[in-house]
Amino acid sequence: MEKLFKLKENGTTVKQEIIAGITTFLAMAYILAVNPGYLGGIPGATPAAIFMATAISAAIATICMAFFANYPVALASGMGLNAFFAFTVCGAMGYSYEVALTAVFVEGIIFIVLSLFKFREALVNKIPQNLKFGITAGIGLFITIIALLNSKVIVASPATTVALGDISSAPVILSIVGLLIIGVLEYKKVPGGILIGILATWVLGIVVQLIGWAFDARIFDTVLFPTLTMESIKGNFAAPALFKFDFGFVMKDFAAFAIVVFTFLYTDIFDTVGTLIGVTQKAGLIKEDGSLPNAGGALMADAVGTVVGACLGTSTVTSYVESSAGVAAGGKTGLTALTTGIMFIIAIIFAPVFLAIPSFATTPAMLYVGILMLSAIKNMNFEGDIADVIGGFLAVIMMPFAYSIATGIMFGIVSWVILKVVTGKAKDISLIMWISFILFALYIATLV
């Protein structure tokens, strides 16, 4: 392990990395329930097949991350990208499951080429420091709002857009209590405090269910009595939808296909870049000059994961912001990612147990991670160059409010480039930032 992952050099241990890897898995295990629900109803796909594709592609991509880059970053079918796949491409646009998979596959091939030519690596390393800190802080707020919405601490409101949920409900109270538990454990420097917090919150949920506090029985039947039967195990081994591509459509309507591919490409490239910057910055892996060592390997793992996922029948595979939960639990090397990848393999057999973890149990962990990542804002310079100030600020606020990491990066980069030009500092703009600006301009043009 020492030779493979350089544990001593990174100031970590096998135990610490394994705990971090399990923590990351628990924080992102929801994708194994959500993705089959999103994609499983599309004609040509089944929930069981999507479950298998999601678990296998996540395991392969995350293990690639461990060995290609030695980073504590896990990957799986991306939230947002899977919704675009199911509800826009196969829903509103009316394209088949096979056409959507073909677009994801082509996107993955393009990513591999871009990674070989180091375009994506250069993008990670050339983003200005203030923007990097803004991206990290923005992801912290993005994680926070996801956690609050999933546990219904915050709910939709026609009058104010969002509002406080039912403060008397058990999930809301348990989410807040869980955060306080993690806070106490972290204050006392208890190893694996975040993981313990997840499990403690889950146990408290079981207790309040047993004493009669109203809960959703559909959730807590499995929490109290997870059913691990041969039938349930066999059901999870349904063959994934292998190589269900439709290249004929590419020749039939190339323009429409290109728009779908570009949207997948745009969202994934900047989601991945933003996630890598945020997670690795919090893990202390970014150098003083702002560069990220082994970025090429990390981005190649992402590209390989996308190609493998498409071949298996699932949507775009990308780096997960929930990896920051593992980083907060002490993860610093690829051993964390390897552990998470192995957990995805185990999940195929023990799916009824893993899928029993309710959202309120992982909410405290994600809230605490949000605190840690938001702390990057203290490193931002709000009195320096106006382009850095406004670009970083827009990256921070647009991620949670637009509910998209990629959108936050888009506003940050576009405003930064425009302000550099207007203030007579165009020479400060690197080629990679010009290319990013043009890509965003083209994407905006497709929305007009």
Side-chain angles (χ1 to χ4, degrees), residues 203-414:
V203 170
L204 285 175
I206 294 174
V207 171
V208 299
Q209 170 74 358
L210 289 173
I211 64 176
W213 199 347
F215 259 116
D216 186 340
R218 292 171 300 173
I219 294 175
F220 275 87
D221 282 348
T222 54
V223 171
L224 292 169
F225 309 106
T227 53
L228 188 62
T229 64
M230 286 305 297
E231 288 73 20
S232 68
I233 292 173
K234 288 178 182 178
N236 293 328
F237 277 97
L242 297 172
F243 306 109
K244 296 189 72 172
F245 299 131
D246 181 4
F247 289 103
F249 180 84
V250 181
M251 304 304 297
K252 188 190 306 181
D253 195 345
F254 180 79
F257 182 77
I259 290 174
V260 174
V261 171
F262 178 76
T263 304
F264 275 127
L265 188 71
Y266 149 81
T267 305
D268 191 16
I269 191 170
F270 289 103
D271 266 9
T272 300
V273 168
T275 299
L276 276 179
I277 289 173
V279 175
T280 55
Q281 194 273 333
K282 182 50 61 179
L285 298 174
I286 293 181
K287 293 182 177 179
E288 291 184 5
D289 63 0
S291 65
L292 183 60
N294 302 329
L299 295 166
M300 182 59 75
D302 177 272
V304 169
T306 293
V307 171
V308 170
C311 292
L312 292 172
T314 188
S315 53
T316 303
V317 174
T318 188
S319 301
Y320 257 60
V321 294
E322 285 82 355
S323 303
S324 49
V327 170
K332 295 181 179 180
T333 74
L335 182 53
T336 293
L338 177 60
T339 302
T340 304
I342 292 172
M343 290 297 293
F344 272 109
I345 296 173
I346 294 173
I348 295 172
I349 301 175
F350 294 97
V353 176
F354 287 118
L355 298 181
I357 301 174
S359 61
F360 73 80
T362 57
T363 292
M366 300 317 297
L367 290 176
Y368 190 72
V369 168
I371 294 171
L372 296 176
M373 299 196 75
L374 181 59
S375 67
I377 202 168
K378 70 178 184 293
N379 298 317
M380 293 179 65
N381 182 1
F382 287 102
E383 297 179 357
D385 185 272
I386 193 64
D388 291 340
V389 173
I390 293 181
F393 171 72
L394 288 176
V396 172
I397 65 169
M398 293 307 295
M399 285 188 197
F401 295 147
Y403 211 72
S404 166
I405 293 174
T407 299
I409 297 174
M410 177 177 71
F411 273 86
I413 289 179
V414 169

Side-chain angles (χ1 to χ4, degrees), residues 133-188:
F133 290 128
I135 288 168
T136 302
I139 290 174
L141 289 176
F142 181 66
I143 291 172
T144 299
I145 197 168
I146 289 174
L148 293 174
L149 289 169
N150 285 346
S151 59
K152 293 184 171 52
V153 175
I154 296 297
V155 296
S157 167
T160 60
T161 305
V162 292
L164 180 64
D166 181 3
I167 196 66
S168 65
S169 71
V172 171
I173 292 176
L174 285 170
S175 296
I176 303 303
V177 169
L179 176 61
L180 298 178
I181 291 172
I182 291 176
V184 171
L185 292 171
E186 291 296 313
Y187 172 75
K188 293 183 176 294

Side-chain angles (χ1 to χ4, degrees), residues 70-83:
N70 195 25
Y71 283 165
V73 177
L75 303 92
S77 300
M79 290 297 295
L81 286 160
N82 55 3

